[in-house]
Amino acid sequence: MPPRDGAGPRQRPRYFPLRRIRQLPQAVRDNGGVHQYRDDGVVLRTQKLGEADRIVTVLCRTTGRVRAVAKGVRRTKSRFGGRLEPFTHVDLMFHSGRSLDIITQAEVIRPYGAPLGGDYPRYTAGVAMLETAERLTPVDKEPALRQFLLLIGGLRALGEEEREPRLVLDAYLLRSLAVAGYAPALEECARCGAKSNGARLPAFAIAAGGMVCASCRPPGAASPSPQTVALMLALLQGDWEAAGRSERRHRVECSGLVAAYLQWHLEHSIRSLRHVERA
Amino acid sequence: MYEGVIQHLIDELGRLPGVGPKGAQRIAFHLLAADPEDVKRLAAALVEVTERVRFCRTCGNVAEADECRICLDPRRDLSVICVVEEPKDVAAIEKIREFRGRYHVLGGAISPIDGVGPDELRIRELMTRLSDGTVTELILATDPNLEGEATATYLARLVKPMGLRVTRPASGLPVGGDLEYADEVTLGRAFEGRRLLDV
């Protein structure tokens, strides 16, 4: 090997023999691995933090709901500020922190929010979906794959022009409740289990869990029209053809019942539902 | 924990945005070491700002009288109103020295998830200002995020029957940035709003 310029003869590097490193106590030779993980998810909510940071709540595919800090994203020159807007499906790299994780990288998979910003009724329906998803996943980092897939499907349907946003929202609310174990009973009595068998169940009792027969009907239960109940069933089962044929008055009644049912079972109000505008 | 008054000062400073317990302690000891005249001047400024500053009755900007200096300025163009979310945005636009119209501060953006709807903003006051027919152009300079976009869409839809010219500032690549680091949404917007280079 030729000698290096001005460096004289090359010195042999000094290595610690491997057996000596193995003898060192754990705390000296290893700082502990920096825990990073990668997951994809939908941004549910962002909150301002400090000068230029944000706390971002994401519903992830495998990790479940995660609250993480995105540093400096409110600055105009932020590398990924625009990628962490609500409704965006993003591929994220997280760095585990003491209380909150830190988002270190973000790549957009699909910006579901792009068609919503310019359409106010769709935007308000979408925000109600995000808030519901957040409420239905109350525990941090508890996997909720079915809720995640349902939200992705709901946001995709919301971006389609031909579907009425409020119908998409009601379908999402009913199905997310079903995934969480609160599916309303629509074809049998929620109390005694008696099948309707073509006969009409007369009342919808929110506290009982859906439609009830005449003998189980509690005082104060709503009496929706049969078409409204049929619409709720169509939305729950994903029968868009039947739902699309429904009349406006039945849609309004259905929305009212779904909103009341959701908030009663969540034991929490969904603030954005008040602002949802019908197209 | 420190003696009564020092701890009281640290606690009060710690309530300010962006100031944590360590920062509050540092500021408190800086004030103790500073010239007493400087500290008195700071205290007087704090008292004065709470007593004298209020919101302009016309535009909602911060003012020292019933109306802010922009609304009182006769050289301002009365036919253009720029709608912004916060008084801080007025200061940011004033810095560019390009805009000669007047402002309207909404006091936030529509954010249903936080319980902020159109009724919680100064939209009714804006509609009153537009009703006399003096204004011909409305610039919707809400923040370029989803809430700002939704607020701009809501306002554009609301004022459409009035036949005004409704515009929105362009959004896209920041000056001095690298193209490769731009996110897809921003880059997409920049391409949507590209302009003819007339050389």
Side-chain angles (χ1 to χ4, degrees):
Chain A
M1 187 185 287
R4 288 169 301 162
D5 294 340
R10 189 172 172 174
Q11 297 281 315
R12 196 177 161 194
R14 293 181 60 193
Y15 294 112
F16 278 108
L18 194 61
R19 64 187 157 75
R20 273 199 62 194
I21 294 174
R22 283 190 184 137
Q23 284 164 3
L24 290 169
Q26 177 81 18
V28 174
R29 71 182 155 112
D30 189 5
N31 290 328
V34 175
H35 186 226
Q36 290 202 331
Y37 62 98
R38 183 179 172 178
D39 205 346
D40 68 300
V42 177
V43 178
L44 300 179
R45 180 201 284 258
T46 61
Q47 290 154 283
K48 288 180 182 176
L49 176 73
E51 190 83 3
D53 307 343
R54 274 189 204 280
I55 296 177
V56 184
T57 309
V58 194
L59 181 59
C60 291
R61 187 184 293 269
T62 49
T63 322
R65 198 194 71 175
V66 178
R67 289 180 81 230
V69 177
K71 288 190 180 281
V73 288
R74 278 156 60 204
R75 291 202 178 96
T76 334
K77 284 189 184 175
S78 162
R79 280 179 298 121
F80 50 77
R83 295 178 181 138
L84 295 171
E85 283 287 293
F87 298 108
T88 315
H89 184 194
V90 270
D91 187 358
L92 297 167
M93 181 67 93
F94 295 94
H95 178 127
S96 292
R98 259 180 292 177
S99 55
L100 292 171
D101 294 349
I102 295 164
I103 296 172
T104 53
Q105 289 177 48
E107 286 291 328
V108 174
I109 296 173
R110 190 165 165 175
Y112 290 105
L116 305 184
D119 188 333
Y120 192 69
R122 272 178 215 284
Y123 166 74
T124 51
V127 173
M129 285 166 73
L130 298 185
E131 192 180 350
T132 306
E134 191 183 0
R135 290 279 170 213
L136 286 170
T137 52
V139 184
D140 270 357
K141 296 192 178 173
E142 190 174 82
L145 178 63
R146 290 182 69 196
Q147 288 290 0
F148 168 79
L149 294 173
L150 192 67
L151 182 62
I152 291 278
L155 292 177
R156 191 176 295 144
L158 197 63
E160 292 168 7
E161 290 268 317
E162 66 270 20
R163 294 204 176 138
E164 209 227 301
R166 187 70 209 227
L167 271 187
V168 176
L169 171 64
D170 288 340
Y172 170 79
L173 297 180
L174 283 167
R175 287 200 228 171
S176 60
L177 278 166
V179 168
Y182 300 113
L186 297 171
E187 292 178 293
E188 68 281 317
C189 174
R191 277 227 171 122
C192 68
K195 296 270 179 198
S196 63
N197 291 330
R200 188 185 159 216
L201 290 165
F204 188 85
I206 290 168
M211 298 302 290
V212 284
C213 64
S215 52
C216 294
R217 178 180 185 153
S223 303
S225 70
Q227 292 91 332
T228 303
V229 182
L231 172 61
M232 285 172 79
L233 195 61
L235 292 174
L236 190 59
Q237 293 170 343
D239 185 354
W240 284 103
E241 217 172 289
R245 285 197 301 268
S246 60
E247 290 177 33
R248 186 181 165 86
R249 61 196 165 113
H250 299 132
R251 292 182 185 186
V252 172
E253 191 177 28
C254 170
S255 299
L257 286 178
V258 171
Y261 187 83
L262 170 79
Q263 293 177 101
W264 197 89
H265 285 282
L266 277 178
E267 296 180 5
H268 207 287
S269 69
I270 299 290
R271 288 201 281 190
S272 40
L273 275 178
R274 193 164 62 88
H275 301 287
V276 175
E277 207 173 82
R278 205 167 273 279
Chain B
M1 291 294 283
Y2 296 92
E3 291 296 316
V5 280
I6 302 174
Q7 189 58 44
H8 182 62
L9 176 63
I10 293 172
D11 291 344
E12 288 301 316
L13 290 168
R15 287 167 59 186
L16 297 174
V19 181
K22 282 280 176 197
Q25 189 177 302
R26 201 161 57 240
I27 298 168
F29 279 96
H30 170 79
L31 293 174
L32 280 176
D35 183 353
E37 283 307 312
D38 290 347
V39 180
K40 278 180 191 158
R41 219 172 30 250
L42 173 67
L46 287 172
V47 173
E48 196 178 12
V49 83
T50 50
E51 282 173 358
R52 287 181 55 186
V53 173
R54 59 189 101 167
F55 293 103
C56 171
R57 68 170 177 207
T58 309
C59 70
N61 191 12
V62 284
E64 287 185 32
D66 279 349
E67 285 195 306
C68 69
R69 59 172 181 83
I70 297 171
C71 288
L72 289 171
D73 189 347
R75 292 166 299 173
R76 289 276 176 167
D77 185 355
L78 296 178
S79 65
V80 189
I81 286 183
C82 178
V83 179
V84 293
E85 289 182 16
E86 304 286 347
K88 287 181 282 184
D89 303 329
V90 173
I93 297 173
E94 280 297 286
K95 265 192 220 164
I96 60 173
R97 296 170 187 273
E98 289 278 327
F99 179 65
R100 298 303 304 157
R102 295 214 244 172
Y103 295 91
H104 189 86
V105 182
L106 289 175
I110 295 173
S111 175
I113 206 160
D114 299 314
V116 180
D119 294 342
E120 279 73 37
L121 304 175
R122 297 183 71 253
I123 293 177
R124 206 171 294 119
E125 288 86 342
L126 175 67
M127 299 310 286
T128 312
R129 285 182 77 183
L130 298 178
S131 61
D132 66 358
T134 320
V135 179
T136 54
E137 184 179 352
L138 195 66
I139 303 172
L140 301 173
T142 48
D143 286 350
N145 54 28
L146 202 67
E147 287 161 2
E149 289 292 331
T151 310
T153 308
Y154 180 86
L155 288 174
R157 199 184 58 173
L158 206 63
V159 301
K160 200 178 173 186
M162 294 178 166
L164 298 179
R165 182 168 182 252
V166 181
T167 57
R168 179 141 173 77
S171 63
L173 299 167
V175 176
D178 280 9
L179 195 77
E180 63 171 313
Y181 291 121
D183 64 274
E184 296 81 349
V185 184
T186 309
L187 202 53
R189 290 260 188 91
F191 268 79
E192 262 177 40
R194 67 187 186 277
R195 62 187 170 83
L196 194 65
L197 208 56
D198 195 11
V199 285

